[in-house]
Amino acid sequence: MRSIWNGAISFGLVSIPIKLVNATESHSISFRQIHVNDGGRVRYRKVCELDGEEVPSAEIGKGYEEADGSIVPITDEDLAQLPLATAKTIEIMSFVPAEEIDPLQMDAAYYLAANGATAAKPYTLLREALKRSRKVAIAKYALRGRERLGMLRVVDDVIAMHGLLWPDEIRAPEGVAPEADVTVRDAELDLADALMATLGEVEMASLHDDYREAVEALIVAKSGGAFEPTEAVVEPAGGQVIDLMAALEKSVRAAKASRGEADGGGEGEGEAEAEVTPIRRKARAGGGAGTGAAAPKAVGGKKSTAASAKKTAAASAATKKKTTTAGGKSAAGKSTSRTAKTAAKSTAKTATAKKTGAAAAAKKTATPRKRTSA
């Protein structure tokens, strides 16, 4: 790999000559700008605004524009003469645990290669010291006209350096978090943990850029003249989540199904048919356990007899009314009247007899007994 910067690592009084190599590369497909009408390529030409002539890259330098519009020329020689220890040196300042580095500060990544045979021993020493300490080195270095912050760590058997943004280059997340006060239940967290455990088991090497592959296939098809545009099936993005629990349960089942895992049901079985459980009423005193409905309360004999008598009397009265005609009482009415009179006489005789018996008993009790003389 071609180096983009040559210098040294300053590790106390130890100097390690190194070469800086890009650790990453972009596989994005780049497009050219073209004229839509005729397909001609649109180019940008660098033209001097004073004489209107195109300027080749070899004659292009850099300069700083001041507030009044005037330009101050700055050459590479001027930058090289700056009194900076980091101009050609990666100066290690401290060693800290990797957890103290905010991933938001991560920038470009580089490999540091030992430059020459004499650099092998101090390079290996620093690498093994980083491994054993389980820490990363914080360093300052200068690249492309500015001083930068870096983090050195071990990747396999190589020292890698990540460019870091300065702390004041990280924006505070003001107004980003939800303003509403939201409460998350333990059951929802449990389902989220289950989903994380399912989705977390993936090999990083198996991940690839589907979009880039689709663009490459599109280019091949169009260049061969066999391109047939098809409308992509895009699932509509959900708006407001109505039932978060159901969505989490469905996500867990879908993740397991995509990995060929059997869904054991249980808590996550959200699509099972609902079952209706009857509500058991409390059994009344004297009733058996598990009785669906209590037996009706028994009614006393006297009340029942009185109610029956009233009903019978009402029925009898209704019958009499119906059998009565405009000309007088019918034969059935006369018979009923005679029966009622006979019953009334009998009742009166019985009452008279009871009175007579009671009076006789009272008279017998009240009569004093005569005394006999001696």
Side-chain angles (χ1 to χ4, degrees), residues 29 31 44 54 94 129 136 156 203 230 304 321-322 333 338:
I29 298 174
F31 298 99
Y44 288 98
E54 186 176 351
S94 64
V136 297
D156 295 334
E203 294 182 3
T230 56
S304 177
K321 187 174 182 180
K322 288 181 180 179
R338 291 193 190 99

Side-chain angles (χ1 to χ4, degrees), residues 49 61-75:
E49 66 179 15
K62 58 176 70 75
Y64 177 78
E65 184 177 3
E66 293 187 324
D68 58 359
S70 60
I71 302 294
V72 179
I74 303 294
T75 64

Side-chain angles (χ1 to χ4, degrees), residues 17-357:
I18 56 96
K19 295 185 294 184
L20 196 66
V21 179
N22 279 321
T24 61
E25 59 184 359
S26 175
H27 290 166
S28 298
I29 298 174
S30 59
F31 298 99
R32 301 293 186 184
Q33 290 186 331
I34 63 171
H35 189 195
V36 177
N37 292 340
D38 55 16
R41 181 176 171 184
V42 177
R43 296 178 180 270
Y44 288 98
R45 300 182 185 273
K46 297 179 180 179
V47 179
C48 177
E49 66 179 15
L50 295 179
D51 57 18
E53 302 236 347
E54 186 176 351
V55 181
S57 298
E59 298 180 9
I60 297 177
K62 58 176 70 75
Y64 177 78
E65 184 177 3
E66 293 187 324
D68 58 359
S70 60
I71 302 294
V72 179
I74 303 294
T75 64
D76 292 338
E77 290 76 15
D78 294 335
L79 296 175
Q81 293 174 3
L82 291 176
L84 290 176
T86 59
K88 281 292 181 180
T89 305
I90 299 174
E91 183 181 2
I92 295 178
M93 298 180 296
S94 64
F95 294 86
V96 298
E99 294 79 12
E100 293 187 8
I101 305 300
D102 190 344
L104 284 174
Q105 290 184 258
M106 296 287 187
D107 202 357
Y110 308 94
Y111 289 136
L112 304 181
N115 192 3
T118 57
K121 182 65 179 283
Y123 183 94
T124 305
L125 173 64
L126 176 59
R127 183 191 67 195
E128 296 303 315
L130 287 171
K131 280 184 179 180
R132 189 166 71 173
S133 67
R134 296 183 180 179
K135 293 183 177 181
V136 297
I138 303 299
K140 293 170 68 177
Y141 65 100
L143 182 65
R144 299 188 180 97
R146 56 170 293 195
E147 189 174 53
R148 303 168 186 265
L149 193 63
M151 178 190 74
L152 276 63
R153 69 184 185 98
V154 178
V155 178
D156 295 334
D157 289 332
V158 177
I159 298 175
M161 181 175 70
H162 294 268
L164 298 179
L165 299 175
W166 296 98
D168 60 357
E169 294 179 321
I170 305 297
R171 293 180 175 180
E174 296 177 356
V176 180
E179 297 180 359
D181 188 11
V182 180
T183 303
V184 180
R185 295 179 294 167
D186 290 340
E188 294 169 339
L189 284 174
D190 293 340
L191 281 173
D193 290 341
L195 181 58
M196 289 169 61
T198 305
L199 297 179
E201 299 173 0
V202 63
E203 294 182 3
M204 295 297 293
S206 65
L207 301 178
H208 57 279
D209 189 350
D210 293 328
Y211 181 79
R212 178 174 59 87
E213 292 180 357
V215 173
E216 290 175 348
L218 169 65
I219 294 172
V220 172
K222 293 201 76 170
S223 63
F227 174 68
E228 294 182 2
T230 56
E231 186 176 352
V233 178
V234 181
E235 294 184 1
Q240 183 180 4
V241 178
I242 303 301
D243 192 342
L244 183 58
M245 289 289 290
L248 287 170
E249 291 171 355
K250 187 175 181 180
S251 300
V252 172
R253 290 195 300 274
K256 288 183 178 180
S258 66
R259 301 179 186 279
E261 299 179 14
D263 189 2
E267 257 184 79
E269 197 65 34
E271 297 180 357
E273 294 184 0
E275 295 181 359
V276 180
T277 303
I279 300 176
R280 298 179 178 272
R281 297 180 182 177
K282 285 187 177 181
R284 296 184 182 273
T291 306
K297 186 175 180 180
V299 182
K302 291 184 178 180
K303 291 183 179 180
S304 177
T305 306
S308 300
K310 287 182 179 180
K311 288 182 179 180
T312 305
S316 177
T319 304
K320 289 180 180 180
K321 187 174 182 180
K322 288 181 180 179
T323 53
T324 304
T325 58
K329 295 182 180 180
S330 62
K334 292 179 180 180
S335 176
T336 304
S337 179
R338 291 193 190 99
T339 305
K341 289 180 180 180
T342 305
K345 288 181 181 180
S346 176
T347 304
K349 288 181 180 181
T350 304
T352 304
K354 285 184 178 180
K355 287 182 180 180
T356 305

